[in-house]
Amino acid sequence: MLKIRQLQKKKQDEDASLQSNAKDDKIAVSNNSTSAARVSAAQLRLQKDLTELDLPKSIKVNFTNPSNIFNFVLSIVPQEGFYKMGLFKFTVEINENFPIDPPKIRCMQKIYHPNIDLDGNICLNILREDWSPVLNLNSVIIGLNFLFLEPNPNDPLNKEAANVLAKNKNVFASNVKVAMRGGSVDGERYDRVI
Amino acid sequence: MFSIQNNQHDSSYLSLVSNVGPFNEFIDEYDPNEAFNTLSNARVLVIGAGGLGCEILKDLALTGFKKIDIIDADTIEVSNLNRQFLFRSGDVGRPKAEVAAEFVKRKSMGKNLSIVSHYCRIQDKPQSFYKQFDVVICGLDSVEARRWINATLVSLVDSNLNGLIPMIDGGTEGFRGQSRVILPTVTSCYECTLDMITPKTTYPVCTIANTPRLPEHCVEWASVLEWPRRFPGKKFDPDLSEHLDWMYETAHRRAIHFKIDGVTKELTLGVVKNIIPAIASTNAIIAASCCNEAFKYVTSSNPILNNYMMYSGDYSIFTYTYSHARKPNCPVCGNHPKTIKVPGSWDLRDFIEHIKEKHDISIGTPSLATATKQLYFRSPPSLEEFTRKNLGRKLSELLDDNEEVIVSDPKLPISLRLLVKLE
């Protein structure tokens, strides 16, 4: 274990040369004091992501239990497009393996959308196959918002909705209007979101 | 002169300590007797008693380590027996750490070997437990556990590098593997290299929902979409046979409907548990490399790995060793907690002003939290509102003495970690 002793010696020499021109500072480097609970790497990262959220007023993040930042509800009110002025809510679950694992997001309402199925599953690449730890919470939320501005008929989860969107935008637009008011489309009743 | 009695048990490795290696960094300081003594007295912790752990434990015992602890929270399953060679069918259901320790001790009679087993999660042990070891070897299959032990070992190092315990990490995936030596706060740590991890194979939800082509798509459809639809709120447990049977039958029906071949019970289990086939020989090679590093480090007989060796045995035998650089803004080893002394009578607002001044956070207010509590969050608005009342509260009410506080601000490249001593 001579390696460590050698490293320690090198470090001391470095510190000594640093100290000669160090300024008077009350903050000293820790001497290995231990507190009971340690902040997990996931919490460190999540706190940073939350602090850096930069969202338009139409997107809100609400904590049902504010002492637990790992679970929250996201609400989006699209400002334009087919879904203009609807209020869409999502549960967001982050686990201790964040940011290796992506946030788990589900739509809480039954809505008519080509990329969201009737159970609230969402087809958004950065939530699954294209997730990477270099993405952050903000990028995922912005991506979700984008799904309402530009629903994508090529990646359908609700196939009927996707077909209508691909064939006739006007019919799709009126279907969305009916569904958002809590009406039925193709025999399926949707939740009121407006 | 090297004077250790060359007894039969130790003969295999004595020549390794009695001769100084040609690349030894400390030729003048090297003393074979001291090397032998350190080897006999060094305390090694083995984390994981699975495929790699079994090999590691055996290798350590055979290379002269005498004081070994092994920790694992798992019990033995039938499917482990093909490669986890310290276990027999009669051991199924028993704790892996216990059985592995018993087996190696039994086989090494007269070697003065102490192996202590711990049947629990690594997170259940306090920091003081980890402090007693000279080196930690990991044979783990989980990213989460590696991140935890890595952060723990980093937190034990002080500014003079006291408390530094090397983490030797082995990992295998089929015919490939890696071993690396992490000197916490000196070389790159596990968290520094997190971005390099190959992501789990996942498939787009729309593909599994509408256009399945592979048997895996059918299994994913059953587990990701059908299970929560049929059993809302119920957690799928792949170790329960009725759960697995349902998953297999559901996936199988889907496969027939889409004319896809290859959905079997084994495939179903493999997909839902994300199993990558383990190869015994890969485990043996990686474990040997890890123990070799532990041996070189403890005896100082030869230089240790600097610091990442990858091994590939799928198309030919190939290794590549390189020095992985530290990540300057690594959230774990890139910012060591600093101790700050402040009056407990200060309120949180005073404290924040003080930090802003010290650390040049001039715009707005940073977010602060401890491991268990949100002190103040600048955003999002709902958290800001909830934590605002804390700004006027005294530090002595909000914090324990010496508690760690994390300070995040968009202006800081990484969060600040402060150990707050109250005066």
Side-chain angles (χ1 to χ4, degrees), chain B residues 232-398:
Chain B
K234 192 163 156 188
K235 214 174 148 29
F236 170 68
D237 181 354
D239 295 326
L240 287 176
S241 66
E242 68 261 36
H243 283 194
L244 188 67
D245 286 345
W246 182 92
M247 199 61 74
Y248 163 66
E249 280 153 21
T250 310
H252 189 62
R253 273 198 304 276
R254 177 125 175 124
I256 291 172
H257 183 251
F258 281 91
K259 300 189 176 61
I260 295 168
D261 288 333
V263 172
T264 60
K265 215 162 181 175
E266 290 72 33
L267 178 102
T268 307
L269 187 65
V271 173
V272 292
K273 280 184 117 173
N274 197 31
I275 295 176
I276 295 143
I279 310 272
S281 54
T282 313
N283 282 342
I285 289 165
I286 294 301
S289 161
C290 290
C291 295
N292 186 31
E293 293 310 319
F295 181 88
K296 289 188 295 177
Y297 165 73
V298 166
T299 61
S300 308
S301 58
N302 270 301
I304 51 174
L305 178 74
N306 179 25
N307 51 35
Y308 201 120
M309 188 275 291
M310 40 195 255
Y311 161 81
S312 158
D314 36 11
Y315 298 107
S316 59
I317 304 284
F318 167 79
T319 71
Y320 179 67
T321 299
Y322 67 102
S323 170
H324 201 296
R326 284 182 74 180
K327 188 173 168 183
N329 58 348
C330 170
V332 170
C333 77
N335 63 340
H336 226 51
K338 290 176 174 162
T339 302
I340 176 168
K341 281 185 195 163
V342 291
S345 58
W346 275 11
D347 60 26
L348 189 61
R349 197 177 277 113
D350 297 333
F351 181 63
I352 291 173
E353 282 309 314
H354 179 74
I355 303 171
K356 278 166 68 175
E357 214 173 285
K358 281 277 177 232
H359 292 279
D360 192 31
I361 310 169
S362 45
I363 304 163
T365 313
S367 299
L368 288 86
T370 67
T372 51
K373 196 167 15 190
Q374 278 71 55
L375 298 173
Y376 180 76
F377 264 71
R378 65 195 294 276
S379 102
S382 58
L383 265 191
E384 198 280 330
E385 206 185 313
F386 176 74
T387 52
R388 198 185 300 150
K389 61 179 187 297
N390 286 341
L391 287 174
R393 291 177 67 191
K394 285 201 171 73
L395 291 182
S396 52
E397 295 169 30
L398 293 168

Side-chain angles (χ1 to χ4, degrees), chain A residues 31-111:
Chain A
N31 251 327
N32 197 21
S33 351
T34 51
S35 57
R38 225 187 43 236
V39 179
S40 70
Q43 188 192 338
L44 265 173
R45 169 62 191 260
L46 178 58
Q47 177 171 334
K48 185 144 181 64
D49 276 17
L50 283 171
T51 298
E52 290 177 358
L53 279 183
D54 184 16
L55 299 171
K57 282 211 164 55
S58 57
I59 302 178
K60 288 203 166 60
V61 173
N62 283 302
F63 293 80
T64 30
N65 170 12
S67 50
N68 170 10
I69 56 170
F70 285 83
N71 291 285
F72 52 87
V73 173
L74 182 71
S75 51
I76 297 181
V77 180
Q79 298 300 295
E80 51 190 278
F82 299 112
Y83 296 91
K84 194 172 169 180
M85 299 323 279
L87 169 62
F88 301 96
K89 292 192 169 185
F90 302 86
T91 53
V92 181
E93 262 179 64
I94 289 156
N95 67 21
E96 273 295 332
N97 211 16
F98 182 73
I100 298 298
D101 290 353
K104 243 191 199 158
I105 306 187
R106 282 181 89 90
C107 185
M108 295 165 76
Q109 301 135 317
K110 187 170 167 187
I111 64 169

Side-chain angles (χ1 to χ4, degrees), chain A residues 8 27 34 70 92 96 116 125 134 142 146 155 186 188:
Chain A
Q8 283 172 341
I27 294 176
T34 51
F70 285 83
V92 181
E96 273 295 332
I116 298 176
N125 60 343
V134 300
I142 295 299
F146 187 73
D155 286 332
D186 299 328
E188 198 67 59

Side-chain angles (χ1 to χ4, degrees), chain B residues 52-66:
Chain B
L52 271 172
C54 281
E55 291 280 353
I56 290 170
L57 198 61
K58 172 259 293 172
D59 289 353
L60 288 177
L62 289 173
T63 42
F65 288 89
K66 304 284 187 214

Side-chain angles (χ1 to χ4, degrees), chain B residues 8-39:
Chain B
Q8 184 194 334
H9 292 305
D10 300 327
S11 59
S12 57
Y13 59 89
L14 279 184
S15 61
L16 297 176
V17 281
S18 55
N19 302 304
V20 174
F23 301 107
N24 193 298
E25 303 152 286
F26 322 97
I27 290 186
D28 301 333
E29 288 175 69
Y30 185 75
D31 172 6
N33 290 308
E34 198 190 315
F36 183 80
N37 285 335
T38 358
L39 179 63

